[in-house]
Amino acid sequence: MRRLLTHPLFGVGLALRLLLMAVLVPKAAAEWYAPFMDASVAELAHGLSLDPWGAFLARGGTPQAFPYGVAMWLALLPLAVLAKLAGVGALHAYALSLMAADFVLLLLLRRMLPERDTLVLALYWLSPIVLLATYGLGLNDLVPTLLLTAALWRTRQRRLCQAGALCAAAVSAKLSMLLALPFFLVYLLRNRSLRAGLPDYLKGGLLAGALLGLPFMASPAALRMLLQNPEMGKVYQFALQVGAGTVLYVMPLAYLLMLYLAWRVRRMNFELFSTLLGLGFLLVVLLTPASPGWFVWIVPALVAYQAGSGRAAIALTAAFSLLFVLENLPLPALSTLAAGAPAPGAPLPLPLLPLRHTVLTGLGIVLALRLWRESVRSNDYFRLSRKPFVIGIAGDSGAGKDTLADSLRGLFGAHSVAQLSGDDYHLWDRQKPMWQVMTHLSPLANDLESFATDLLALSDGKAILSRHYDHGSGRMGRPQRLASNDFIIASGLHALYLPVLRECYDLAIYLDIDEGLRRYYKLQRDVLVRGHSADKVRDALAQREPDSTRFIRPQARHAGLVLALHPVQPNLLEGPLGSAAPRVRLLVRSRQGLNELSLRRVLVGVCGLHVDLSMDGEASEISLTIEGDASADDIAMAAATLFPRIMEFLDLRPQWREGALGLMQLIALAHINQALSRRLLWQTSS
Ligand SMILES: Nc1ncnc2c1ncn2[C@@H]1O[C@H](COP(=O)(O)OP(=O)(O)O)[C@@H](O)[C@H]1O
Ligand SMILES: O=C(COP(=O)(O)O)[C@H](O)[C@H](O)COP(=O)(O)O
């Protein structure tokens, strides 16, 4: 904060604000807003009243004075009361209230764009739109803009109940903020992991909406002020006569098309959502004779756009802002000079001045087009999920395939994952005599052709009918529908066996577990969970060894990521079944690269682990040996530090695991992040 307050640009912006407040007396503030607040405070002297509108009209005030709700009134009230007590004029109190909202919005934008103080100060704190609309014209659109930006911020933090309440407060401050709500609903509905939070959002919104809305709705004076507000009709002023008595209202049409486009983006990230919201407001501003204060609504989106798109965006926004000033500067001389289009043949009063609104709109449309193009490109990271992300996990029986698959599903959420298990493609039920001839590890004992066909269908976004092998009864269940999803996880003994399977995977993992540990895990599971006898399991292990060597272990060379668990104390594996899980170390072999240096730094720094890193001669394979116990929270923090962008793919409350399994989640996520980014590069270059 100290760095911000001592920044030169902050001082310049503050000086400009104080200068504008000292020099200009905005008409709307002097004739409407300040007197309304002044009357409110006087009324409070006679006891708490939640109908300042009625009190103001009863004193003979104009109905145009305050067509806003409780949230706006509460935002302006504290300093109005203090000013009254201190004998300071109501107009200064009003201006200082807006400056307070202004400063809080600066702090909020600074939180949303960390380590970009100079940029945020230059693009927001020195924004000609904010300076002129707020301090030159006395318009109070900063208040609803602050509340809505706070709602965006809480949405990004997935605090959806608060986001809903802040949206309701923004609407209470200025009814036009209703335009934002459909975009919030589209964002929450179109993200499976956020959809679960929609009830929280609605709960917060309805509760705050009731608290803030009921006093307003109960005041006939308030409703009269709102309905008589001339701003309300502006939405319909840009209309096209398309036939006798048939009118096409352009702004509502454009807004609805914008909303449809937002719905069509199957999954959107936060950047696109906030940009679409800014675009929706930009259309309102461009396609109506908008009040200058409405331009304040688009400033946060323009700041984020400029911060992400560089010099051209900054130059374009600067030109747009300066034209806004030219259009709205309250200088009588300027409006005289630019009065309407010149009579035919008469000399131009001034070159192009009457065209300033046209140029402003033109620049606005260019801004809108660039905003859409830039945000869609940044959103490709999510558009890639139009094509499911397919993960293959192979390994011997008891290697941990289902455990890893289930832990990844816990991260993305069951609503976003389709799981395919190789066990469901065994050719026979358990008691069939064919198992005397063939082990489960033989490809001939599994319907790998159907496994491949079903995986291809799921990868293509189609649903399949899949049976389920019940390890309790040893029988195949009836076929059930399995829909495709954003993530498809195919795990099984032969998941990497066929080339047609391998070609489906965006990430191929092989679990190359230590044999002693695998025997330990398999015994634990098959005896304690699946109900087999220890002797039967040991016999099966011996019987399957040739097939494991011939069909299972060779699959490791087809994997981009090989994960191997090794016991730290092998001698403990001989303990009784059900004894405490042995401590393990994780060996990682990556052939795709995984930013191993930053990964090691975070694993050591954040998780306190011991990490050895090595690579082969051509650096075609990176090897990591990770030892130590990491908590689930540390692993979650490591993931957020290493690849923040993929965190938006995760469930609302991702189920991070502790220890080796949590590290396997983290390493797998690193590879998914790499693969998604590689897909993006390929898509944008092709
Ligand atoms: N990373 C791990 N940490 C601890 N136990 C594990 C881990 N992976 C697997 N196990 C245990 O090993 C047994 C076999 O795991 P499972 O996922 O069923 O193997 P697979 O699906 O390859 O046959 C299970 O009891 C499981 O709890
Ligand atoms: O080897 C496996 C494969 O499963 P996994 O890789 O999960 O060990 C199982 O023994 C068979 O599916 C038969 O199961 P059951 O022994 O229950 O008939």
Side-chain angles (χ1 to χ4, degrees):
M1 173 69 90
R2 178 178 157 71
R3 198 178 55 201
L4 179 77
L5 299 179
T6 55
H7 195 294
L9 292 182
F10 180 81
V12 170
L14 184 60
L16 282 171
R17 283 162 170 78
L18 296 174
L19 179 64
L20 285 168
M21 283 163 65
V23 169
L24 295 174
V25 178
K27 181 173 183 291
E31 292 179 8
W32 294 338
Y33 311 136
F36 180 88
M37 292 312 297
D38 195 38
S40 296
V41 173
E43 190 62 25
L44 286 178
H46 302 114
L48 184 59
S49 154
L50 277 179
D51 185 10
W53 307 271
F56 184 70
L57 292 185
R59 291 163 173 256
T62 164
Q64 285 190 320
F66 202 82
Y68 310 113
V70 173
M72 181 72 87
W73 180 60
L74 292 176
L76 301 173
L77 191 60
L79 287 183
V81 171
L82 290 178
K84 195 81 169 179
L85 295 174
V88 173
L91 188 58
H92 289 108
Y94 172 77
L96 287 172
S97 300
L98 295 184
M99 190 186 285
D102 193 2
F103 182 65
V104 172
L105 183 50
L106 170 67
L107 297 179
L108 191 50
L109 290 173
R110 186 172 174 251
R111 291 284 293 269
M112 297 174 84
L113 295 166
E115 308 303 322
R116 311 288 295 271
D117 280 8
T118 301
L119 194 86
V120 172
L121 284 166
L123 301 180
Y124 172 75
W125 193 242
L126 297 181
S127 162
I129 294 175
V130 172
L131 286 166
L132 178 58
T134 307
Y135 304 94
L137 304 173
L139 301 172
N140 47 42
D141 294 81
L142 263 180
V143 173
T145 303
L146 167 63
L147 291 167
L148 199 67
T149 307
L152 281 169
W153 178 51
R154 299 312 265 168
T155 301
R156 187 165 77 173
Q157 294 184 316
R158 300 186 162 187
R159 306 294 292 272
L160 298 177
C161 186
Q162 293 179 25
L166 285 162
C167 281
V171 172
S172 166
K174 188 151 201 166
L175 190 64
S176 316
M177 294 296 115
L178 275 174
L179 292 170
L181 302 193
F183 286 96
F184 274 85
L185 295 176
V186 166
Y187 176 58
L188 296 179
L189 283 168
R190 297 305 261 171
N191 268 343
R192 291 191 177 90
S193 57
L194 289 174
R195 195 178 302 162
L198 186 57
D200 283 347
Y201 175 82
L202 295 173
K203 184 172 63 181
L206 291 172
L207 188 62
L211 287 174
L212 294 168
L214 288 176
F216 186 86
M217 302 303 284
S219 161
L223 293 172
R224 181 182 161 198
M225 282 190 168
L226 177 67
L227 298 176
Q228 288 186 6
N229 178 11
E231 307 274 292
M232 298 282 278
K234 290 189 169 183
V235 171
Y236 303 105
Q237 287 190 17
F238 183 179
L240 299 175
Q241 199 74 30
V242 291
T246 308
V247 181
L248 181 68
Y249 296 111
V250 176
M251 198 292 285
L253 176 66
Y255 174 79
L256 290 172
L257 286 177
M258 190 72 240
L259 214 45
Y260 172 72
L261 276 175
W263 180 258
R264 286 289 298 136
V265 176
R266 207 169 65 82
R267 263 192 86 143
M268 66 176 81
N269 61 353
F270 180 81
E271 280 78 9
L272 180 61
F273 157 57
S274 50
T275 304
L276 286 173
L277 183 55
L279 266 177
F281 280 156
L282 185 53
L283 284 176
V284 170
V285 157
L286 294 175
L287 299 176
T288 58
S291 154
W294 295 9
F295 283 76
V296 173
W297 308 347
I298 62 176
V299 171
L302 291 179
V303 169
Y305 163 60
Q306 295 171 86
S309 298
R311 295 177 188 277
I314 293 173
L316 187 61
T317 308
F320 180 75
S321 305
L322 292 177
L323 266 170
F324 168 85
V325 171
L326 199 58
E327 162 104 343
N328 295 291
L329 205 55
L331 293 180
L334 195 66
S335 40
T336 310
L337 283 172
L348 276 174
L350 256 182
L352 303 181
L353 254 179
L355 290 176
R356 66 194 188 292
H357 187 76
T358 306
V359 178
L360 174 69
T361 304
L363 276 177
I365 291 171
V366 169
L367 260 179
L369 292 172
R370 287 178 62 94
L371 262 167
W372 173 260
R373 186 167 56 84
E374 296 298 312
S375 59
V376 165
R377 185 177 296 158
S378 86
N379 187 56
D380 275 356
Y381 195 78
F382 278 74
R383 280 161 50 99
L384 294 181
S385 66
R386 285 179 182 286
K387 180 183 179 308
F389 189 93
V390 189
I391 302 168
I393 305 174
D396 207 333
S397 177
K401 302 184 293 296
D402 291 346
T403 304
L404 178 59
D406 293 346
S407 73
L408 293 177
R409 188 187 63 222
L411 286 183
F412 297 115
H415 46 65
S416 292
V417 175
Q419 270 183 280
L420 200 60
S421 170
D423 293 357
D424 298 337
Y425 292 84
H426 290 334
L427 280 173
W428 309 291
D429 289 349
R430 183 183 296 159
Q431 70 282 6
K432 286 289 190 301
M434 272 305 285
W435 292 123
Q436 309 314 315
V437 176
M438 208 175 282
T439 76
H440 293 79
L441 278 52
S442 166
L444 300 177
N446 296 276
D447 185 359
L448 295 184
E449 192 177 321
S450 298
F451 187 67
T453 305
D454 288 348
L455 181 60
L456 283 165
L458 289 172
S459 304
D460 196 29
K462 299 186 180 75
I464 64 168
L465 279 177
S466 169
R467 303 173 306 165
H468 175 65
Y469 179 76
D470 178 354
H471 284 284
S473 65
R475 294 181 183 285
M476 279 296 168
R478 296 163 58 83
Q480 291 183 350
R481 184 176 185 277
L482 176 66
S484 179
N485 217 319
D486 291 336
F487 291 90
I488 296 164
I489 303 176
S491 62
L493 294 164
H494 306 92
L496 298 182
Y497 186 74
L498 296 177
V500 67
L501 289 171
R502 298 195 291 261
E503 284 154 17
C504 289
Y505 300 132
D506 295 287
L507 171 59
I509 300 173
Y510 183 82
L511 299 181
D512 191 20
I513 186 170
D514 167 81
E515 270 302 291
L517 186 62
R518 181 177 76 85
R519 293 173 64 88
Y520 174 87
Y521 279 159
K522 184 166 172 64
L523 267 168
Q524 290 268 22
R525 179 197 68 186
D526 286 3
V527 172
L528 301 179
V529 177
R530 293 184 178 177
H532 298 307
S533 70
D535 291 342
K536 178 175 181 261
V537 176
R538 289 194 183 93
D539 292 347
L541 280 165
Q543 186 194 10
R544 292 174 169 197
E545 187 51 31
D547 281 354
S548 181
T549 304
R550 187 174 168 201
F551 301 115
I552 307 300
R553 292 179 194 134
Q555 294 176 79
R557 69 169 176 272
H558 300 302
L561 172 61
V562 178
L563 298 171
L565 286 178
H566 285 251
V568 172
Q569 296 159 300
N571 57 313
L572 294 184
L573 297 180
E574 300 312 319
L577 286 181
S579 52
R583 290 186 59 239
V584 293
R585 68 168 65 91
L586 175 62
L587 277 63
V588 179
R589 293 196 339 253
S590 167
R591 294 159 187 156
Q592 285 175 303
L594 70 167
N595 296 335
E596 53 282 346
L597 296 177
S598 50
L599 177 66
R600 178 174 61 173
R601 175 175 46 78
V602 170
L603 287 176
V604 172
V606 173
C607 302
L609 297 168
H610 176 79
V611 181
D612 286 328
L613 169 66
S614 64
M615 55 183 76
D616 65 1
E618 312 83 53
S620 59
E621 181 172 287
I622 310 288
S623 298
L624 286 169
T625 303
I626 307 170
E627 194 166 339
D629 291 322
S631 70
D633 290 343
D634 285 348
I635 290 168
M637 192 188 301
T641 307
L642 286 164
F643 16 84
R645 283 184 68 186
I646 200 169
M647 302 306 279
E648 283 193 279
F649 272 113
L650 302 190
D651 200 2
L652 204 52
R653 294 173 188 81
Q655 292 164 26
W656 287 100
R657 307 298 294 274
E658 64 181 13
L661 189 54
L663 292 173
M664 292 163 90
Q665 288 179 308
L666 184 71
I667 302 289
L669 215 51
H671 280 76
I672 293 168
N673 186 53
Q674 286 265 11
L676 268 176
S677 303
R678 221 182 5 261
R679 244 209 242 178
L680 170 62
L681 287 176
W682 174 74
Q683 284 228 349
T684 42
S685 58
S686 61

